[in-house]
Amino acid sequence: MSSGRHEDEIRYVANPGGPTLGYSASSGVRVMKVDGLYFKDLSKDGTLDPYEDWRLSPEERARDLASRMSVEEIAGLMLYSSHQAIPGNLGWKPSTYGGRTYEESGAAADELTDQQREFLIRDHIRHVLVTSIESPEAAAGWSNRVQALAESRRLGIPANNSSDPRHGMDASAEFKVKGGQVSVWPETMGLAATFDPEYARRFGEIAAKEYRALGLTTALSPQVDIATDPRWFRFGMTFGEDPQLSADMARAYIDGFQTSEGEAELADGWGTDSVNAMVKHWPGGGSGEGGRDAHFGYGKYAVYPGGNFDEHLLPFTEGAFKLQGKTRQAAAVMPYYTISYGQDPVNGENVGNSYSSYLIQDLLRGKYGYDGVVCTDWSITNDEPADIASLFPGGRCWGVEEGYSVAERHYKLLMAGVDQFGGNDQAAPVLEAYRLGVREHGEAWMRKRFEQSAVRLLKNMFRLGLFENPYVQPERSAAVAGCAGFRKAGFDAQLNSVVLLKNEGQTLPLRKRTKVYIPDRSLPAGKSWIGAPVAASEGCPVQLDIVREYVEPVETPEEADCALVFIESPRSTMGYSKADAEAGGTGYVPISLQYRPYTAEHGRETSLAGDPRDVLNRSYKGKTVTVANAGDLDMVLDAKKRMNGKPVIVCILMYNPAVVAEFEGAASAIAAHFGAEDRALLELLTGGAEPSGLLPFQLPAHMETVEEQLEDVPHDMEAYADAAGHVYDFAFGLNWSGVIRDDRVARYGRKNGAYGRASS
């Protein structure tokens, strides 16, 4: 049944030996009986069309349906909506169509906004990106309303709703289910820290079931870029810097998401438990010059000073495109915003990756034989922002900023081999791109090109059974999302993702009821990466009610047996400063991985890439920056002083590698995590579990080695070594007995390096 006022409108028809059909009684769809079996008359013409016949293959059905679609309908299929929220007043920005918010209209939490109704009907959009969700029930009800509206249209094509990752402890609130009503897992880097792809596979399997319960059928994940520059702000969203570990994690993650088994399997591993995985970001976005990010004009260039372009492809070619499961390869691929500078030997173009026919047609489609969906990252066809440091308003049309209209950018993307335009709610420029193609190639050729993309997009919907039953049951959604078994699996993964870096004199594990001093943490006001204001904060960094279940928090160091200090890796700049630009500088500044003020004495004299529309030399050498959370270091050092010789234990949440040399000597024990709940951390610190995580990246000895490493090369820094001789290198970690040297280290550890202890 559907939710709320629509409860009596959803009808289900069981098929003997076939799929159960679900349809909305108000959509105009009826059920036909042919050869003793039931089929939905989606076209509402009273006959069984091939695309309505679930006995045929997804390929056959997709080709038939694509041939029946108008150019306008195919253009809508190529669109991927801007960020949407459930209910609509949770979104990032007001409706571009002027629709009322729920607060103003008093509409139900699962009602559609005016914008959503209009883009579903007027622009034929069938791919919707969902960000915030109030509750599983609201998500289910909203999804059913979307599907009923879509089903009522001419051909009854269902919607393919999707989401960015929403299961991590520290994901942005825009991508969460409010109230934490899904299972909680470590961030992607935390899965990598387990060094066990089975955790990634199990995550994908569980997350897919929760997605389907919420009405979501595509995941805009995993992010498999190898994080070869430690300064990149998306570093913690990857599987780390090692290509083989990233490939193995990607393969397992996607297998988990896409594979249906048993009664849920329809064919070839696909079925009603499957969720399409959109792997990103081809051909890798982890080598931005100076660690800068291509969401912004100042970070548009990915560079390859080590000549290591091919290694960045491995998580795709050896992972996402070589699955162990029957679905064989990731359903979709998203290129990154970056210009892969100097990497097009055929056309010599320096354009954003989605615009590059060499990267898409020659490499991805040609050399590697990928025939799935290619979807651009969001808003790459809009004109660039007036301010190089701004995210909104404007797009990220890197390399085609000038000399192209919005429609001409769409056309260039189509000619490069792209199927879908992320973040575009408007069909008009796609239709204009079609007309440009007709003028250049003729109607028949351009119609065939459109149908080629339509078939790819439709196959991803047919394989999931959406044409037979796109509806979800709210009561089941609430029971599945965040159920006890799924939460336990996520909690176990959190425990196994924590990396113990130091344990001097067996400080850990703590005895139960140990008296612990936890200093308050303060952060200054600032801005998020998207420019939203962030208020100053001060207070206890953990939930004391949870802490009290394990140890006894006390008010002063004098009362305590030890101090427990919670910090984060340094929160630096994004590599650009408006203040520097306004003062007459270039605007380019270093990105720091240390807490104390950093002056880039070893920065590059001349940048590898530059833009004459901005500055050709983007060097920041000699400039100084201070990180936002410099007070974290003061907390550790102050605790060391006030504890008067008693142990100081540091728990550090790592979004990026940190120069731990600044505080390691003041800590008796250091535990690094990548998005773990307070309960998981306390469980581990008090011996309820043994640490088993390994570093999926190097921790630099100092900023000099950060500056000297090559943006495109993994494992090329001098790793930090502590007084005990332990080297905080890739694949290093401790358990209660000492340095971990198990099969995982043997498999993934670099053969030319000694892990755990400095070589003589």
Side-chain angles (χ1 to χ4, degrees):
M1 293 296 180
S2 182
S3 66
R5 297 187 297 274
H6 286 231
E7 183 170 349
D8 297 328
E9 294 186 4
I10 308 303
R11 301 285 184 266
Y12 295 98
V13 177
N15 249 311
T20 295
L21 309 181
Y23 68 100
S24 168
S26 64
S27 69
V29 167
R30 296 293 179 264
V31 171
M32 301 175 287
K33 189 172 185 179
V34 179
D35 299 332
L37 301 172
Y38 296 101
F39 304 86
K40 290 168 67 174
D41 183 14
L42 292 165
S43 63
K44 310 165 191 69
D45 63 358
T47 62
L48 180 62
D49 302 318
Y51 85 91
E52 298 165 335
D53 189 345
W54 46 260
R55 295 169 299 184
L56 300 179
S57 71
E59 178 80 22
E60 293 173 291
R61 298 177 73 183
R63 291 190 178 281
D64 176 69
L65 178 53
S67 72
R68 298 169 185 270
M69 296 176 70
S70 68
V71 169
E72 290 76 14
E73 288 165 332
I74 294 176
L77 195 66
M78 290 176 167
L79 302 178
Y80 221 124
S81 84
S82 57
H83 301 79
Q84 303 295 310
I86 308 170
N89 63 326
L90 293 177
W92 281 11
K93 52 188 180 296
S95 166
T96 56
Y97 294 97
R100 294 176 299 168
T101 68
Y102 290 99
E103 292 173 332
E104 294 170 338
S105 66
D110 60 4
E111 189 60 82
L112 307 187
T113 65
D114 294 344
Q115 179 195 20
Q116 291 161 359
R117 288 181 177 279
E118 190 154 0
F119 68 49
L120 286 163
I121 296 171
R122 186 192 69 182
D123 293 288
H124 307 287
I125 284 181
R126 291 298 177 269
H127 293 81
V128 182
L129 174 59
V130 177
T131 53
S132 295
I133 292 175
E134 183 67 30
S135 69
E137 295 91 339
W142 178 87
S143 177
N144 286 350
R145 291 177 186 274
V146 169
Q147 299 294 3
L149 179 58
E151 192 174 72
S152 73
R153 310 310 294 166
R154 186 176 77 92
L155 295 169
I157 300 171
N160 182 357
N161 301 323
S162 66
S163 176
D164 278 293
R166 60 176 60 251
H167 284 78
M169 184 66 190
D170 295 285
S172 172
E174 284 85 4
F175 305 102
K176 298 285 280 186
V177 177
K178 301 297 180 180
Q181 292 167 307
V182 292
S183 56
V184 179
W185 295 70
E187 298 294 332
T188 312
M189 189 67 76
L191 293 175
T194 68
F195 275 62
D196 185 351
E198 178 59 23
Y199 281 105
R201 188 202 65 79
R202 182 63 175 149
F203 165 73
E205 181 182 76
I206 288 174
K209 288 181 171 61
E210 293 185 313
Y211 271 48
R212 291 301 296 254
L214 298 170
L216 304 171
T217 46
T218 290
L220 302 190
S221 63
Q223 182 178 332
V224 305
D225 317 68
I226 53 172
T228 47
D229 193 290
R231 298 164 291 189
W232 187 30
F233 101 101
R234 302 192 76 171
F235 187 98
M237 305 173 195
T238 74
F239 289 119
E241 67 176 309
D242 187 75
Q244 186 59 55
L245 178 62
S246 296
D248 290 351
M249 287 287 172
R251 184 185 310 109
Y253 184 111
I254 297 167
D255 270 334
F257 260 104
Q258 293 190 169
T259 303
S260 291
E261 298 176 332
E263 293 183 357
E265 183 180 0
L266 298 175
D268 301 321
W270 295 100
T272 56
D273 280 345
S274 299
V275 168
N276 297 310
M278 184 181 290
V279 63
K280 55 190 186 184
H281 302 91
W282 176 266
S287 62
E289 184 164 16
R292 297 184 292 269
D293 181 74
H295 275 83
F296 302 91
Y298 58 74
K300 68 176 71 172
Y301 296 109
V303 294
Y304 299 87
N308 205 37
F309 176 85
D310 289 346
E311 196 165 11
H312 285 255
L313 305 182
L314 294 178
F316 298 92
T317 61
E318 300 303 313
F321 303 161
K322 288 187 178 179
L323 304 182
Q324 291 180 340
K326 290 191 286 185
T327 65
R328 296 180 51 244
Q329 63 181 17
V333 170
M334 180 189 293
Y336 204 37
Y337 296 119
T338 47
I339 294 170
S340 295
Y341 191 73
Q343 300 304 307
D344 180 354
V346 175
N347 309 300
E349 283 192 307
N350 282 312
V351 293
N353 293 325
S354 290
Y355 288 102
S356 172
S357 62
Y358 172 73
L359 293 177
I360 306 302
Q361 295 282 40
D362 295 0
L363 278 189
L364 181 62
R365 299 240 190 255
K367 182 175 181 178
Y368 296 109
Y370 182 77
D371 194 40
V373 168
V374 175
C375 177
T376 75
D377 214 327
W378 261 234
S379 302
I380 74 165
T381 54
N382 296 337
D383 292 338
E384 65 180 326
D387 185 342
I388 196 171
S390 293
L391 190 62
F392 302 118
R396 284 156 284 287
C397 52
W398 311 141
V400 293
E401 299 95 338
E402 296 178 345
Y404 291 83
S405 68
V406 172
E408 287 168 340
R409 291 183 190 123
H410 282 81
Y411 181 57
K412 183 172 178 61
L413 290 166
L414 286 168
M415 294 304 99
V418 163
D419 302 298
Q420 199 163 33
F421 311 104
N424 183 5
D425 296 337
Q426 309 284 339
V430 185
L431 294 172
E432 178 58 29
Y434 181 84
R435 290 188 284 271
L436 292 173
V438 170
R439 286 198 289 270
E440 183 173 352
H441 300 287
E443 182 83 39
W445 190 95
M446 200 58 193
R447 170 75 199 195
K448 182 179 179 181
R449 172 66 189 88
F450 256 43
E451 287 191 24
Q452 181 184 48
S453 287
V455 169
R456 291 177 181 135
L457 292 160
L458 291 168
K459 277 167 47 177
N460 283 355
M461 300 161 75
F462 279 114
R463 294 189 296 204
L464 307 188
L466 291 177
F467 280 81
E468 279 57 69
N469 179 24
Y471 298 99
V472 290
Q473 298 175 326
E475 62 274 15
R476 182 176 181 274
S477 299
V480 170
C483 69
F486 292 174
R487 285 184 178 274
K488 183 181 185 303
F491 188 80
D492 289 345
Q494 292 178 54
L495 291 175
N496 285 279
S497 70
V498 178
V499 180
L500 185 62
L501 297 173
K502 183 177 183 179
N503 194 20
E504 185 178 78
Q506 294 185 310
T507 299
L508 297 175
L510 298 175
R511 303 185 313 275
K512 288 292 182 76
R513 313 320 309 164
T514 296
K515 292 182 178 180
V516 173
Y517 168 64
I518 303 174
D520 285 348
R521 184 169 186 248
S522 63
L523 291 170
K527 290 185 178 181
S528 71
W529 72 273
I530 63 173
V534 176
S537 63
E538 185 168 3
C540 184
V542 288
Q543 300 175 70
L544 285 177
D545 57 338
I546 293 176
V547 173
R548 292 188 184 99
E549 296 179 26
Y550 294 89
V551 294
E552 182 181 344
V554 295
E555 294 291 330
T556 66
E558 290 73 22
E559 303 171 74
D561 299 312
C562 66
L564 188 52
V565 187
F566 292 88
I567 65 174
E568 295 179 12
S569 52
R571 295 185 182 183
S572 188
T573 68
M574 295 281 284
Y576 189 87
S577 165
K578 286 187 178 182
D580 179 84
E582 290 168 355
T586 62
Y588 291 89
V589 295
I591 300 173
S592 177
L593 300 183
Q594 69 181 38
Y595 295 95
R596 290 294 183 239
Y598 169 63
T599 301
E601 297 176 358
H602 302 280
R604 205 173 265 139
E605 291 276 2
T606 304
S607 65
L608 299 177
D611 187 342
R613 301 162 61 255
D614 170 36
V615 292
L616 283 173
N617 186 4
R618 296 182 166 195
S619 174
Y620 49 78
K621 186 172 183 178
K623 294 183 181 179
T624 301
V625 292
T626 303
V627 301
N629 61 327
D632 281 359
L633 176 59
D634 295 328
M635 285 172 58
V636 177
L637 300 181
D638 182 66
K640 173 66 173 177
K641 181 179 179 180
R642 297 183 64 189
M643 289 304 294
N644 197 25
K646 290 181 286 189
V648 174
I649 301 161
V650 175
C651 278
I652 180 170
L653 169 58
M654 283 194 169
Y655 299 108
N656 292 82
V659 179
V660 298
E662 293 178 296
F663 67 82
E664 179 272 321
S668 302
I670 304 173
H673 70 102
F674 314 95
E677 295 172 287
D678 293 346
R679 186 178 301 280
L681 293 174
L682 269 296
E683 182 79 12
L684 187 138
L685 294 175
T686 55
E690 184 167 19
S692 62
L694 303 169
L695 279 176
F697 50 80
Q698 296 177 301
L699 289 182
H702 37 63
M703 280 301 298
E704 180 179 353
T705 191
V706 173
E707 295 287 7
E708 291 176 347
Q709 58 88 35
L710 302 177
E711 285 94 336
D712 61 324
V713 178
H715 311 304
D716 64 339
M717 292 191 295
E718 177 188 346
Y720 178 75
D722 65 19
H726 293 149
V727 181
Y728 297 0
D729 207 340
F730 176 78
F732 169 71
L734 303 172
N735 56 24
W736 301 142
S737 301
V739 176
I740 299 172
R741 301 184 186 278
D742 58 15
D743 292 344
R744 299 172 301 159
V745 179
R747 179 178 183 183
Y748 293 107
R750 287 177 294 146
K751 301 301 184 289
N752 63 342
Y755 290 98
R757 188 164 295 278
S759 55
S760 57

